[in-house]
Amino acid sequence: MGNDTVTAKDERPVVLVVEDEALTIMDLSDVLDAAGYEALQSASAERALGLLTARTDIVALITDVELSGKTDGFDLARAAEQMRPDLPIVVVSGRSKPDPERMPSHARFVARPCRGDDILDVLRTLMKP
C-alpha cells in the first residue's frame, strides 16, 4: 500500500547515461527527466555494464566516448550491444570521430558541442518501433 508512489515514479523508462563529467551528466539527466525518462547515471563503463547486467528495465544507453577507467564509450557500446542486441545506443563525443569499426551497427553518433535536446531527439528516433 505504501509503495504506490514509488511504483508510479519508477514506471518511467530508464535511460542509462554514462559520462564522467558531472555538469554534463546533470544537464543531460535534467533533459531526460523533463522528457519523462528516468536517468540512471554512471561515471564508468565498468559500472554501466554491471547495471546493464543487473537491471532489465534499462531501455536505452547514452555514453560519452572519453570515460575514466580502462573502457571507453566505443567499447562499452559494443559490449552493451552483445548483451542486449535491441538496446538503442547513442555515442557522444567532442573529441573523437565516429569510428565505424568500433561503433555497433545500430548505434548513432552525436558530435559535441550539442544540446541535451539534440541527444534526446536522436534517442527518440532510435526508440521508435
Side-chain angles (χ1 to χ4, degrees), residues 3-128:
N3 274 349
D4 289 354
T5 49
V6 176
T7 344
K9 183 180 182 296
D10 288 350
E11 278 168 13
R12 296 185 304 160
V14 177
V15 176
L16 179 55
V17 182
V18 189
E19 164 66 69
D20 59 1
E21 289 190 22
L23 285 174
T24 310
I25 201 168
M26 283 165 52
D27 179 55
L28 188 50
S29 296
D30 288 346
V31 168
L32 289 167
D33 193 56
Y37 295 97
E38 179 187 333
L40 181 60
Q41 300 180 357
S42 173
S44 75
E46 291 79 8
R47 177 164 185 266
L49 288 170
L51 289 167
L52 277 171
T53 306
R55 295 189 54 163
T56 54
D57 59 341
I58 295 170
V59 299
L61 167 68
I62 300 171
T63 182
D64 192 43
V65 172
E66 298 84 17
L67 298 168
S68 53
K70 293 190 277 290
T71 310
D72 72 8
F74 287 127
D75 291 336
L76 170 58
R78 299 224 342 242
E81 182 189 41
Q82 286 169 350
M83 290 165 64
R84 309 257 302 263
D86 298 330
L87 189 74
I89 299 171
V90 180
V91 178
V92 186
S93 179
R95 293 190 279 281
S96 302
K97 294 271 180 287
D99 185 342
E101 296 291 306
R102 300 185 65 208
M103 283 277 288
S105 53
H106 69 282
R108 292 286 174 277
F109 186 89
V110 179
R112 287 206 168 102
C114 61
R115 296 172 315 133
D117 290 332
D118 300 328
I119 297 171
L120 181 62
D121 288 345
V122 172
L123 184 67
R124 283 183 165 145
T125 308
L126 283 175
M127 290 174 80
K128 289 200 173 98

